[in-house]
Amino acid sequence: MEWQAPKGTRDFYPEDAIIRDYIFDSWRKSCEKYGFEPYDAPVFEHLEVYTQKSGDEIEGQLYTFEDKGGRKLALRPEMTPSLARMVAARCRELKKPIKWYSIPKLFRYEKMQKGRLREFFQLNMDILGIDDVCADAELIAAAIDMLCNLGLSSKDFQVHISSRTLLEQLFLFVGVKQGELLKLYAILDKMNKVTPENFNLMLDEFFTDKNVAQSVKKILSAKTLDEILEINSEIEPILEIKKLFEYLQVLGFQDFVKFDVSVVRGLAYYTGVVFEIFDKKRTMRAIAGGGRYDKLVELYGGQPTPAVGFAVGDVVLCDLLKELNKLPEIKQNCDLFIVSFDKDYANLLKIVKKFRENNFSVQYPLKLGNFGKQMKQANEAGAKIVIFAGSQEESEGNYKLKIMKTGEEKVVLKEEIAKKIREFENF
Amino acid sequence: MEWQAPKGTRDFYPEDAIIRDYIFDSWRKSCEKYGFEPYDAPVFEHLEVYTQKSGDEIEGQLYTFEDKGGRKLALRPEMTPSLARMVAARCRELKKPIKWYSIPKLFRYEKMQKGRLREFFQLNMDILGIDDVCADAELIAAAIDMLCNLGLSSKDFQVHISSRTLLEQLFLFVGVKQGELLKLYAILDKMNKVTPENFNLMLDEFFTDKNVAQSVKKILSAKTLDEILEINSEIEPILEIKKLFEYLQVLGFQDFVKFDVSVVRGLAYYTGVVFEIFDKKRTMRAIAGGGRYDKLVELYGGQPTPAVGFAVGDVVLCDLLKELNKLPEIKQNCDLFIVSFDKDYANLLKIVKKFRENNFSVQYPLKLGNFGKQMKQANEAGAKIVIFAGSQEESEGNYKLKIMKTGEEKVVLKEEIAKKIREFENF
């Protein structure tokens, strides 16, 4: 029998856990800088929480099981349904805007591919209660800043922004009929999967009116927002997305964002602005994605609550940080390692106690080997300073110590030791 | 349809998530102070990982489900099997001692009771690779310090310590036969569940030799380690536990620990020292528990690896901290909240940008209401300082601001603003 982690999951040995915690800490700091508060929900929900949003088909992609009471439960594949359920339950009491973040572990029962695991983490940030595009701007700004705090710049990633309503109203404006929209979206979904020639052929076949086909192609080939504005600069969603780009410019993020009509996002629940963040070279899956979902809280029995949110997964992001060499080298360390000259263990422990009471992180040999072995352990523990217990100097009222970085040895008065060590370590 | 979290699980709204994060942060700091490194494992494992340790009966207490490949998986009910599996897989490469910690979410499919939920968190700390009681002392010291860092003292909790091997060897020493041990343990399990009289009757019935019955009663009624030493002060496990108490005394924790022969711990895998931490009033379940388990890594195909560990759950601990009023009041806050005098949103955003670039946490109204409404939002966001965008002073090269704690209003030169604010806030 070989004992392995289940397929699609990961063991985090310390070298990986330290990296993960570094990313999580950075995420938390970014969220707090932007005034987002933490929340969390159970790892599993009643299955209906997910089918309510995504239909019964979703069940095939979920890990499901039964409750003692025979109710069907599912491991959470995404955080937004739990968020919507929680907000719906306290809709009236919660002060608006609601700015919440969470770092859930999520589970998807799907085929393994590069950048996709069955168990992974996400940072989710959401703003609820604001029906204005300034919330979208704040959220996208927060997303960009979060990536910058991890060492990335506009050379490394870009936010591709579009709008569901914009596309819909533009299509209607150029003569697409309401009843044709759904089928048109199905074709759009093929846009980046077939050659441009074949895509154009599909559009030509779909529309009987050549002018409409031509206009749709023009919309879809727009490379900038200005090209869209040339088609129509007056309908509401266009004014909105224009405002969004203006806000993002004032906030200093113009180099990070671009209009991209091809971003539609698979999920049916988006109702306005949608965006995806890609690495600049476009060699990877999307790093993050999000958008406006104004109808979801109602779906869980809450009052109508406008909402905008995004999620960034740990897997693709971590791959990108590795590729760009942006992950810091974080090593296990401790302030002090106490070694014993004379093998008087009680005396060694007494010194450990003294320094721990002074709030130093302290390690020591749990089994006293010879001196060389003890120094090797001090090295492995990443000790900044080694203190020699049971030295000649100790009996004379001093501590003998070694500053590991420089190799210097010092003798320090016992009363001054805590102060001196803080100096040596450059606290 | 009412949308609720599944039975036995919790939603963490921000007020609860903030408390949880405070406890987790404190746990992490405690672990790092003692030189423990983080690790993590999947939320579910192959079912065999759990039955290997606890037998097939365990399945009734697990949430189980199937993999695409038809393999049985289970949500983790405890962390130690994953730890043992991970250590076993890299036994040779991992440097000893292994000092690891993790804060897993765990799942038990059991009857709900006070202090028990179906989904909960634990801090797990383990030391592997040291077969000496000094590892047990270090671990117990770390456990005590971890609780002290949350504001608890020896007035609030106590570590009850015993030893599996000590009890066994003492029983054999006073004449209990090897074949009687298992049945005797079954009786011991009733010790705190029946009256002392009935318990003594059970022992009298069990032993045909009155002297043996008498000696067993004497062992079980020992209130201190000294009383045990009177019975026998020479066998190895007694010397060991004596050394353990000596180490804990030198480390300064004598007021936190007591010998308690009644601690046996339910789990079959403990092989030496065992301990449980209780609130001093004994009105709650155990806060934490642990002990030595020298055989477990082998069970997962690893080399023989001595090990000692403990776990503390979040539910009972949090109840205790609440009862003793030890949870700090943590409020959402931000350095700065920018309000707008003149409703020039672009100008407001420009100021937001400036201060965020200076690494302040900044909030602002996502929808511009009247001035009173904006100030109310600043209050709700816990702003330390409010900056008035679009003020008369601004056009003269200054910022006008209000220090929220004192109500003072100030006018500060734009160039000096970042420095001044850090002064006002007492950074």
Side-chain angles (χ1 to χ4, degrees), chain A residues 180-223:
Chain A
E180 294 174 325
L181 281 174
L182 267 184
K183 280 179 202 152
L184 178 54
Y185 286 138
I187 298 175
L188 285 195
D189 198 41
K190 302 263 186 297
M191 188 160 156
N192 292 319
K193 293 166 192 161
V194 300
T195 64
E197 294 73 30
N198 282 338
F199 182 69
N200 280 338
L201 270 180
M202 287 164 82
L203 289 177
D204 289 335
E205 277 170 27
F206 182 68
F207 293 109
T208 42
D209 184 334
K210 294 290 153 225
N211 285 335
V212 176
Q214 206 47 44
S215 301
V216 167
K217 283 184 209 168
K218 197 175 168 195
I219 293 169
L220 294 178
S221 67
K223 292 272 168 278

Side-chain angles (χ1 to χ4, degrees), chain B residues 201-238:
Chain B
L201 270 179
M202 288 164 81
L203 289 177
D204 289 335
E205 276 169 28
F206 183 67
F207 292 109
T208 42
D209 185 333
K210 295 291 155 222
N211 286 335
V212 175
Q214 206 46 43
S215 300
V216 167
K217 284 184 209 167
K218 195 174 170 197
I219 293 170
L220 295 178
S221 66
K223 294 270 168 276
T224 65
L225 189 56
D226 286 338
E227 289 175 45
I228 295 287
L229 288 168
E230 277 168 28
I231 302 167
N232 184 319
S233 64
E234 280 168 21
I235 51 178
E236 186 58 28
I238 292 188

Side-chain angles (χ1 to χ4, degrees), chain A residues 379-402:
Chain A
N379 251 320
E380 286 169 2
K384 297 182 197 165
I385 288 167
V386 167
I387 298 214
F388 303 104
S391 66
Q392 176 63 31
E393 290 81 356
E394 200 180 311
S395 55
E396 294 157 1
N398 295 297
Y399 284 117
K400 189 177 170 186
L401 57 85
K402 182 173 183 170

Side-chain angles (χ1 to χ4, degrees), chain B residues 208-343:
Chain B
T208 42
D209 185 333
K210 295 291 155 222
N211 286 335
V212 175
Q214 206 46 43
S215 300
V216 167
K217 284 184 209 167
K218 195 174 170 197
I219 293 170
L220 295 178
S221 66
K223 294 270 168 276
T224 65
L225 189 56
D226 286 338
E227 289 175 45
I228 295 287
L229 288 168
E230 277 168 28
I231 302 167
N232 184 319
S233 64
E234 280 168 21
I235 51 178
E236 186 58 28
I238 292 188
L239 295 176
E240 281 208 333
I241 205 157
K242 204 176 147 221
K243 214 160 74 171
L244 172 64
F245 276 89
E246 280 165 12
Y247 287 163
L248 285 167
Q249 172 157 32
V250 182
L251 285 168
F253 297 119
Q254 65 278 7
D255 294 344
F256 291 88
V257 293
K258 69 175 270 186
F259 178 75
D260 181 352
V261 76
S262 78
V263 172
V264 280
R265 305 224 8 103
L267 295 158
Y269 71 99
Y270 287 112
T271 55
V273 165
V274 284
F275 62 95
E276 284 181 336
I277 305 182
F278 287 98
D279 65 298
K280 210 71 179 269
K281 289 195 210 144
R282 291 301 299 260
T283 59
M284 295 177 169
R285 286 173 173 279
I287 302 165
R292 186 162 275 282
Y293 55 98
D294 287 346
K295 303 290 176 205
L296 196 67
V297 173
E298 278 170 84
L299 209 58
Y300 294 96
Q303 293 175 284
T305 306
V308 59
F310 87 94
V312 52
D314 68 325
V315 183
V316 175
L317 177 61
C318 211
D319 285 346
L320 181 65
L321 292 172
K322 264 181 211 152
E323 193 185 288
L324 297 174
N325 228 341
K326 300 288 185 189
L327 287 173
E329 255 200 67
I330 314 169
K331 271 206 179 155
Q332 158 83 343
N333 66 43
C334 65
D335 297 328
L336 303 174
F337 195 99
I338 322 291
V339 300
S340 177
F341 263 157
D342 61 359
K343 311 231 166 174

